[in-house]
C-alpha cells in the first residue's frame, strides 16, 4: 500500500477520493492520477538533485505520460522536459513550455521535427544519428538560429531489465558508438559548426532499474571519452545527462530513493572531472516512469466471470491491453484490488483479463481476489501512471479511456475519454472504391 492508497469502510481511496465513487461518476475504464503523489516525486527530485547540486536539471521524459495537465504542472514547478517527437513537442508548445527548458531526443528525428525544434528554440538537441548534424544545421540556417547540442553515446553496459527496455548495450539502435572513428567526426562537426553550441554527452542505459552499478559503469565510460575529447579537441564538456530508468514498484519491488542513484553519480562525476582536469559538468537526470507510475491507478468494472473447473477462473473487465499494453509487451506484473470489496479476504486465485480479442489480453495472471467478486464490482490496478495512457491503442475500436486527477478528496478531468466518432474521424470511404 503506498500512502495515497487507503482502505476505508471496505473501499479503496486514492488521494482522499473513494475510487468506487470516482468510477460511478466518471465511468470506467478510467485512468486516475494523484496530484499528491506527483508532487511528492517532484519535491523529492528537487531535494535530492535540483536544489542539492549547482545547476542540476531534471528533464522529465514526457513519453511516460504526456498530457497537457502533466506538462503544465512541470512547467509551473520549473522542470525541464525531454521530448522525442514532433507530437510531444507540439503538446509542450500548447502549454507554452519554455523552449530553452526542452531537450529533444530520438534516434531518427525527422527533418520536419528538427525544423519544429529549432524554430521553437529548444534548449538542447541530443544528437543520436551519424547524419543528424547536417539536418540540424539546415534548420538553423532556415530559421537563423543557433542550436545547443549534446551527443548521446552508447556506453556498452548490460543491465538487469527486460530486453525491450535495455538501451545501453553495444547492439542498440540508440546512441553513437564509443569508437574514435565514429564518435570523433560527430564531435568535431558539433564543435566546429558556427550554428551549433556543443554542451556534452548523454546516456540512457535502460528502464526499471534498481541498482546504481550500471549507471556508474556507464558514467565511467562516458567520462573516459570526455577525457579523450579534451585531449583530441581541447574542449571540456559542460554537461552530462545520466538518462532516466529509476525503478518503481509494480508488485513488491523495493524502490530506492532518487538520492540512492544520484549521490554516487554526482560523486563520480566530480571525481572523474577532477581527474580529467575540467570543471564538474552540470548534471541532468531524465526520469519518466518514476515520476508518474505510482501516481496512477486504473479503474475497471468487472463483467463476465468464467470458471474452468480444475484450471483457471477468468475475471473479465471492461478494458485491457488497449490502455495497458505492458503486460502483453513486457510480461509486466501488476498488483490490484477489488475496490468495493477492499476488506474482504482475497481467497481465490483468478486471472484478471480484458475485453480485447486476444488471448494475451491479460491484466494480472494468477491473482488473489475475494471469492465474493461479481459482475459490477470495481477493480483497480496499481502503478499504471507510466506508459499506460501514453502507449494506449484503439485496438478493436475501443476508445482510449479518460484520465481523472484526484487531489486530497477532490477530482476533475485531466483527459476526457475518447469517443467512438473520434476513432473513425479520419477515415474515408475511398473514392476508388
Ligand atoms: N531518457 C531516454 C533517452 C529514454 O529513452 C527513456 C525511456 C527515458 C529517459 C525515461 O526512462 P524511465 O525513467 O521512464 O524508465 N515503454 C517501456 C519503457 C520504454 C522506455 C523508453 N525510454 C515500458 O513501459 O516499460
Amino acid at each position: 500500500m503506498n500512502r495515497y492508497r487507503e482502505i476505508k469502510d471496505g473501499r479503496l481511496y486514492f488521494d482522499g477520493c473513494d475510487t468506487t465513487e470516482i468510477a460511478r461518476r466518471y465511468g470506467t475504464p478510467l485512468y486516475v492520477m494523484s496530484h499528491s503523489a506527483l508532487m511528492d516525486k517532484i519535491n523529492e527530485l528537487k531535494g535530492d538533485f535540483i536544489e542539492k547540486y549547482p545547476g542540476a536539471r531534471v528533464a522529465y521524459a514526457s513519453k511516460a505520460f504526456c498530457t497537457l495537465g502533466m506538462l503544465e504542472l512541470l512547467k509551473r514547478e520549473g522542470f525541464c522536459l525531454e521530448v522525442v517527437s514532433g507530437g510531444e513537442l507540439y503538446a509542450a508548445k500548447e502549454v507554452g513550455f519554455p523552449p530553452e527548458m526542452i531537450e529533444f531526443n530520438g534516434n531518427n528525428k525527422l527533418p520536419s521535427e528538427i525544423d519544429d525544434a529549432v524554430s521553437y528554440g529548444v534548449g538542447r538537441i541530443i544528437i543520436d544519428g551519424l547524419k543528424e548534424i547536417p539536418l540540424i544545421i539546415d534548420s538553423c540556417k532556415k530559421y537563423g538560429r543557433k542550436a545547443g547540442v549534446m551527443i548521446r553515446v552508447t556506453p556498452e553496459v548490460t543491465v538487469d531489465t527486460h530486453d525491450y527496455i535495455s538501451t545501453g548495450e553495444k547492439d542498440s539502435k540508440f546512441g553513437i558508438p564509443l569508437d574514435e572513428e565514429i564518435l570523433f567526426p560527430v564531435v568535431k562537426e558539433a564543435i566546429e559548426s558556427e550554428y551549433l553550441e556543443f554542451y556534452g554527452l548523454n546516456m540512457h542505459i535502460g528502464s526499471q532499474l534498481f541498482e546504481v552499478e550500471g549507471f556508474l559503469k556507464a558514467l565511467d565510460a562516458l567520462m573516459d571519452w570526455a577525457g579523450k575529447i579534451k585531449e583530441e579537441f581541447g574542449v571540456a564538456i559542460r554537461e552530462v545527462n545520466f538518462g532516466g530508468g529509476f525503478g518503481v514498484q509494480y508488485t513488491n519491488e523495493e524502490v530506492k530513493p532518487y538520492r540512492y542513484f544520484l549521490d554516487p553519480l554526482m560523486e563520480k562525476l566530480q571525481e572523474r572531472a577532477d581527474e580529467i582536469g575540467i570543471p564538474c559538468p552540470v548534471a541532468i537526470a531524465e526520469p519518466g516512469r518514476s515520476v508518474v507510475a505510482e501516481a496512477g491507478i486504473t479503474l475497471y468494472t468487472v463483467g463476465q466471470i468464467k470458471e474452468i473447473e480444475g484450471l483457471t477462473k477468468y475475471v473479465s473487465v471492461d478494458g485491457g491491453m488497449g490502455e495497458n499494453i505492458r503486460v502483453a509487451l513486457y510480461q509486466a506484473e501488476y498488483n490490484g484490488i477489488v475496490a468495493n470489496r477492499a476488506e474482504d479476504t482475497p481467497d481465490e486465485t483468478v486471472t484478471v483479463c480484458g475485453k480485447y480479442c486476444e488471448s494475451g489480453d491479460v491484466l494480472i495472471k494468477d491473482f488473489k481476489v475475494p471469492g465474493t467478486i461479481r459482475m459490477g464490482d470495481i477493480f483497480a490496478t496499481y502503478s499504471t501512471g507510466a506508459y499506460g495512457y501514453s502507449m494506449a491503442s484503439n485496438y478493436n475500436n475501443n476508445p482510449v479511456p479518460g484520465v481523472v486527477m484526484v487531489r486530497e478528496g477532490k477530482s476533475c478531468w485531466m483527459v476526457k475519454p475518447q469517443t467512438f466518432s473520434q476513432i473513425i474521424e479520419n477515415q474515408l470511404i475511398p473514392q476508388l472504391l
Side-chain angles (χ1 to χ4, degrees), residues 93-360:
K93 284 189 206 168
E94 277 295 297
V95 301
F97 213 94
E100 67 281 5
M101 309 280 278
I102 299 178
E103 321 213 340
F104 188 29
N105 224 325
N107 69 299
N108 184 27
K109 301 176 194 75
L110 308 178
S112 60
E113 293 176 323
I114 294 177
D115 271 356
D116 287 351
V118 169
S119 62
Y120 193 53
V122 304
R124 301 285 178 273
I125 298 179
I126 318 301
I127 296 162
D128 186 1
L130 299 179
K131 299 268 161 60
E132 192 175 324
I133 289 184
L135 299 178
I136 302 175
I137 292 177
D138 279 351
S139 297
C140 288
K141 285 183 182 156
K142 193 151 135 193
Y143 296 102
R145 284 185 179 263
K146 236 181 134 160
V149 297
M150 298 181 71
I151 298 174
R152 176 168 175 180
V153 297
T154 320
E156 294 185 24
V157 296
T158 305
V159 288
D160 182 18
T161 191
H162 193 283
D163 271 359
Y164 290 5
I165 52 178
S166 170
T167 51
E169 289 166 27
K170 185 172 182 155
D171 187 358
S172 169
K173 74 167 181 167
F174 298 108
I176 310 283
L178 289 175
D179 174 326
E180 228 174 86
E181 282 175 23
I182 307 174
L183 179 65
F184 278 3
V186 180
V187 175
K188 188 167 187 290
E189 260 181 296
I191 293 171
E192 286 180 355
S193 169
E194 57 180 307
Y195 292 99
L196 307 181
E197 182 76 28
F198 173 62
Y199 282 94
L201 302 176
N202 279 50
M203 63 188 209
H204 172 73
I205 55 174
S207 214
Q208 185 61 350
L209 307 176
F210 292 91
E211 303 301 332
V212 72
E213 283 71 25
F215 285 92
L216 291 174
K217 244 166 97 180
L219 181 59
D220 253 329
L222 186 146
M223 290 306 284
D224 286 347
W225 284 81
K228 293 182 193 181
I229 289 172
K230 165 107 187 303
E231 264 171 42
E232 178 76 15
F233 302 100
V235 166
I237 62 161
R238 288 174 278 168
E239 294 184 354
V240 165
N241 186 320
F242 301 141
F246 315 108
V248 306
Q249 186 178 65
Y250 286 110
T251 53
N252 45 25
E253 300 88 340
E254 206 175 302
V255 174
K256 311 254 174 55
Y258 285 116
R259 61 178 176 279
Y260 161 81
F261 297 96
L262 295 170
D263 283 346
L265 278 167
M266 289 306 295
E267 199 177 313
K268 181 170 284 293
L269 185 64
Q270 178 74 62
E271 198 182 287
R272 294 298 315 269
D274 290 347
E275 214 178 285
I276 300 167
I278 61 173
C280 186
V282 162
I284 302 131
E286 225 167 54
R289 184 194 318 265
S290 56
V291 181
V292 287
E294 292 171 44
I297 63 172
T298 308
L299 300 178
Y300 300 97
T301 301
V302 173
Q304 303 297 326
I305 298 178
K306 171 181 179 179
E307 185 159 15
I308 309 166
E309 266 310 304
L311 288 170
T312 308
K313 183 168 173 175
Y314 288 98
V315 172
S316 296
V317 298
D318 54 352
M321 65 192 295
E323 75 289 326
N324 187 350
I325 189 67
R326 299 194 68 261
V327 183
L329 197 54
Y330 318 111
Q331 297 77 48
E333 290 179 7
Y334 284 87
N335 196 355
I337 195 164
V338 181
N340 57 313
R341 296 181 194 279
E343 270 163 345
D344 292 10
T345 313
D347 50 5
E348 259 202 81
T349 302
V350 304
T351 285
V352 182
C353 60
K355 69 187 288 292
Y356 290 74
C357 284
E358 195 86 43
S359 294

